[in-house]
């Protein structure tokens, strides 16, 4: 297996670099570097720039307006974007719903929704999890009962990321209680403006309302908003999750975090010398860097297998666990590096335009909030315990 880039891949990488240099706005880079939260307008600005270039949907086929890149091109793009501190692309419409509609949606749904995802007309959120249905997703209870040409939806979703910005939600709903729980689930597209929907913020440990609870009280949804067939939603839901877990290792994010950590460790002092020269601290950075290099190689191996037509299997569970541990360790080391300046918990430091003067250097202000926020990495997208269960069964065959 050759892990080096081909000439064509190097040319592609240079094209991506040139685009970033010309088009990535400085203010978005500054926000990423300082770790401030992006607003809806920031995300929309970046999406529009990528869309104008035809690069907003790297994984979509050309017929739907995507870039149709292979796995290696997507990897290069992701890598360059995170190294340049570009904002992430919000995944719900682009990486999750888009592929489901392309595979299972009706022609009308594809024609209507896919261009709206690219143009930024719709902001989608994901209504999978419920209280009592997280890891055990098949036990969703939110019901959709057919009434003429509508479904009447009742129930509750939870942990809905950025649902406060969304005008649409894709939901798993229970349309039958017969048979196995997986057999009575349908996949429904719901307009967030429909009467009977209430969104309540959940404030996370870092002080941000990044996730929400969404309540449905006799919400009328037209039957044409059903994706595919009634009671077949589990198949579509699982298909979506394979897309949700792409690039789950977060190699690019870890690289960017490591560079930031090293920058801080050069600026901070320990015993009159730069912290990065402290043997104990340098050893901890070296360990996380070695782990990251090993994971990047595994990631490239998986990417190169995918480029050769093989689907990543349980390796993505390995990457999820290791990637999470590495990013959380980088967050911990960053807190260590800023020392006492990590003590004041300045959650407002994450807000763009915050006029609170940081007590220490500006790079120290978000360190604790980021450390706390990234506790989520080992939970969402399938918790690390669940991933370990998958490895036990699929790789170790225990
Ligand atoms: C910040 C954040 C954002 C999220 N965003 C979204 C979103 O936008 N949309 C959405 O639908 N969902 C979202 N989620 C939900 C996420 O997918 C679930 O939190 C996750 O699947 C775990 O489910 P749970 O929280 O119900 O925990 P539970 O399933 O109740 O698990 C609790 C603990 O028990 C462990 N556990 C459970 N079952 C097993 C088992 N069989 N073996 C070993 N250990 C087990 C878990 O690993 C965990 O540690 C988000 C979650 C977070 C934290």
């Amino acid at each position: 297996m050759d892990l080096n880039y081909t000439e064509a891949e190097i040319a592609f990488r240079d094209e991506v670099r040139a685009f970033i240099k010309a088009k990535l706005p400085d203010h978005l880079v500054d926000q990423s570097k300082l770790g401030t939260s992006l607003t809806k307008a920031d995300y929309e600005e970046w999406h529009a720039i990528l869309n104008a270039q035809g690069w907003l949907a790297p994984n979509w086929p050309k017929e739907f307006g995507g870039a149709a890149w292979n796995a290696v091109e997507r990897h290069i793009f992701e890598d360059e974007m995170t190294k340049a501190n570009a904002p992430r692309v919000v995944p719900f419409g682009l990486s999750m719903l888009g592929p489901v509609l392309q595979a299972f949606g009706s022609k009308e749904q594809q024609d209507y929704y896919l261009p709206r995802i690219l143009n930024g007309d719709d902001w989608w959120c994901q209504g999978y999890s419920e209280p009592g249905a997280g890891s055990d997703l098949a036990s969703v209870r939110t019901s959709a009962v057919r009434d003429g040409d509508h479904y009447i939806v009742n129930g509750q979703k939870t942990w809905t990321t950025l649902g406060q910005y969304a005008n649409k939600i894709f939901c798993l709903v229970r349309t039958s209680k017969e048979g196995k729980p997986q057999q009575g689930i349908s996949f429904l597209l719901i307009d967030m403006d429909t009467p009977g929907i209430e969104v309540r913020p959940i404030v996370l440990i870092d002080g941000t309302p990044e996730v929400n609870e969404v309540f449905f009280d006799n919400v009328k949804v037209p039957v044409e908003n059903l994706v595919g067939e009634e009671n077949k939603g589990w198949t579509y839901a699982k298909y979506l999750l394979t897309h949700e877990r792409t690039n789950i290792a977060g190699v690019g994010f870890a690289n960017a975090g490591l560079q930031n950590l090293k920058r801080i460790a050069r600026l901070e002092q320990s015993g009159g010398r730069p912290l990065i020269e402290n043997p104990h601290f340098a050893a901890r950075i070296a360990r996380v860097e070695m782990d990251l290099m090993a994971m990047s190689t595994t990631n490239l191996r998986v990417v190169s297998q995918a480029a050769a037509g093989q689907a990543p299997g349980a390796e993505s569970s390995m990457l999820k666990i290791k990637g999470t541990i590495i990013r959380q360790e980088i967050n911990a080391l960053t807190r260590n590096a800023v020392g006492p300046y990590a003590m004041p918990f300045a959650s407002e430091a994450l807000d763009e335009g915050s006029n609170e003067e940081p007590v220490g250097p500006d790079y120290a202000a978000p360190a604790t909030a980021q450390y706390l926020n990234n506790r989520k990495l080992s939970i969402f997208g399938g918790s690390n315990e669940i991933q370990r269960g998958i490895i036990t069964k699929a790789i170790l065959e225990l």
Side-chain angles (χ1 to χ4, degrees):
M1 180 184 326
D2 185 1
L3 294 179
N4 294 312
Y5 290 142
T6 62
E7 272 182 31
E9 285 159 358
I10 290 171
F12 173 74
R13 187 193 63 191
D14 293 344
E15 189 188 349
V16 172
R17 283 187 184 166
F19 166 78
I20 291 173
K21 198 159 179 252
K23 295 287 165 67
L24 175 58
D26 289 342
H27 76 97
L28 294 182
V29 175
D30 294 344
Q31 279 164 255
S32 293
K33 275 192 183 154
L34 280 180
T36 48
S37 301
L38 297 185
T39 61
K40 183 179 187 183
D42 292 328
Y43 286 119
E44 287 178 334
E45 179 185 356
W46 184 228
H47 281 205
I49 292 169
L50 288 171
N51 191 37
Q53 178 78 3
W55 288 2
L56 180 58
N59 53 330
W60 290 18
K62 285 250 189 279
E63 60 177 301
F64 295 121
W69 287 335
N70 64 31
V72 178
E73 289 165 329
R74 294 209 299 267
H75 172 79
I76 291 172
F77 180 70
E78 231 4 89
D79 198 35
E80 294 300 322
M81 287 294 164
T82 41
K83 271 189 205 150
N85 285 295
R88 69 171 185 148
V89 164
V90 182
F92 303 108
L94 287 153
S95 325
M96 299 190 194
L97 181 63
V100 168
L101 289 180
Q102 287 157 24
F104 306 106
S106 64
K107 174 89 176 67
E108 290 73 26
Q109 288 168 344
Q110 291 172 351
D111 289 347
Y112 181 71
Y113 290 115
L114 295 176
R116 291 174 64 87
I117 293 175
L118 292 178
N119 295 340
D121 292 330
D122 290 333
W123 182 298
W124 284 93
C125 61
Q126 180 186 27
Y128 271 31
S129 306
E130 297 181 7
S135 304
D136 182 17
L137 189 57
S139 50
V140 288
R141 283 185 304 177
T142 295
S143 65
V145 177
R146 183 81 186 254
D147 179 19
D149 52 5
H150 283 84
Y151 287 103
I152 306 297
V153 178
N154 281 287
Q156 181 194 347
K157 295 292 170 184
T158 192
W159 304 120
T160 317
T161 300
L162 300 181
Q164 69 271 36
Y165 294 159
N167 64 327
K168 309 267 183 200
I169 182 168
F170 53 86
C171 281
L172 297 184
V173 290
R174 182 148 303 285
T175 34
S176 167
K177 291 182 181 154
E178 305 292 317
K180 281 168 57 180
Q182 287 85 344
Q183 289 164 348
I185 293 173
S186 298
F187 194 105
L188 208 53
L189 310 175
I190 304 180
D191 203 321
M192 295 287 274
D193 294 334
T194 321
I197 296 185
E198 190 191 344
V199 179
R200 291 188 207 154
I202 302 174
V203 177
L204 291 182
I205 191 172
D206 65 346
T208 57
E210 185 179 303
V211 293
N212 301 269
E213 294 176 293
V214 183
F215 295 87
F216 300 87
D217 180 14
N218 287 318
V219 173
K220 265 181 96 175
V221 181
V223 285
E224 60 261 29
N225 287 18
L226 177 76
V227 174
E229 288 178 55
E230 197 175 273
N231 297 329
K232 294 277 166 63
W234 188 246
T235 307
Y236 321 141
K238 280 195 306 185
Y239 182 79
L240 181 144
L241 286 176
T242 62
H243 286 268
E244 181 176 353
R245 289 181 191 150
T246 340
N247 196 33
I248 201 102
V251 172
F253 288 114
N255 268 324
L258 183 63
Q259 296 321 316
N260 187 41
L261 167 64
K262 285 180 169 175
R263 185 174 67 94
I264 293 174
R266 280 188 208 103
L267 293 168
E268 291 291 318
Q269 298 287 305
S270 160
R273 300 192 61 79
L275 175 62
I276 200 154
E277 292 174 16
N278 173 309
H280 177 64
F281 202 79
R284 290 185 69 186
I285 293 184
R287 168 136 315 277
V288 81
E289 191 158 17
M290 283 189 291
D291 281 353
L292 179 53
M293 282 166 75
M295 185 181 69
S296 304
T297 311
T298 307
N299 195 45
L300 270 175
R301 191 164 51 80
V302 173
V303 166
S304 99
Q305 280 168 355
Q310 294 169 30
E315 296 94 335
S316 48
S317 297
M318 268 161 50
L319 290 170
K320 158 89 207 278
I321 296 169
K322 203 64 200 171
T324 305
I325 292 171
I326 289 172
R327 285 176 68 191
Q328 290 180 340
E329 174 66 1
I330 291 171
N331 287 140
L333 285 172
T334 306
R335 280 191 76 216
N336 273 304
V338 299
Y341 295 125
M343 296 293 281
F345 170 43
S347 61
E348 66 281 353
L350 292 177
D351 298 335
E352 190 195 1
S354 161
N355 56 7
E356 291 286 324
E357 269 303 303
V359 288
D362 54 2
Y363 56 73
T368 294
Q370 279 171 349
Y371 168 88
L372 293 172
N373 185 282
N374 273 350
R375 302 295 92 195
K376 72 187 175 192
L377 298 178
S378 38
I379 303 172
F380 68 23
S383 74
N384 282 10
E385 290 83 1
I386 294 294
Q387 304 306 321
R388 288 191 177 97
I390 293 172
I391 291 172
T392 310
K393 281 197 197 128
I395 300 181
L396 305 175
E397 295 182 6
L398 295 174

